[in-house]
Amino acid sequence: MAVIKTIELVGVSSESWRDAAGQALQEASKTIRGITGMDIIDTSCTVVDGGISEYLTHVRIRFRIESADR
């Protein structure tokens, strides 16, 4: 039997929303094993002097919980 856990993160990039999502996944991958998927929940940005300074992508990452008896 598998159990899937989810966490929500916000990735930040000066390049694009896609890069921000990639940043969130890359950071999560440093400490979480068994990532099986990611949902994009929302996108937004920070505006400075009339231009976009940061792209933010809110993501939900799914990963399998490892069983202690395996």
Side-chain angles (χ1 to χ4, degrees):
M1 177 174 75
V3 175
I4 305 295
K5 181 171 180 144
T6 64
I7 61 167
E8 292 187 13
L9 302 170
V10 176
V12 180
S13 170
S14 60
E15 302 297 318
S16 67
W17 285 290
R18 177 183 285 212
D19 185 54
Q23 294 294 331
L25 180 59
Q26 181 179 10
E27 192 64 28
S29 295
K30 291 179 182 178
T31 57
I32 299 171
R33 293 187 306 270
I35 295 175
T36 60
M38 180 173 76
D39 299 315
I40 305 299
I41 297 171
D42 192 21
T43 57
S44 61
C45 62
T46 303
V47 175
V48 175
D49 296 327
I52 296 174
S53 63
E54 289 182 319
Y55 297 86
L56 294 92
T57 303
H58 182 184
V59 301
R60 180 179 299 121
I61 293 177
R62 295 184 304 276
F63 57 98
R64 291 185 180 273
I65 298 295
E66 294 179 2
S67 176
D69 56 331
R70 284 190 200 183

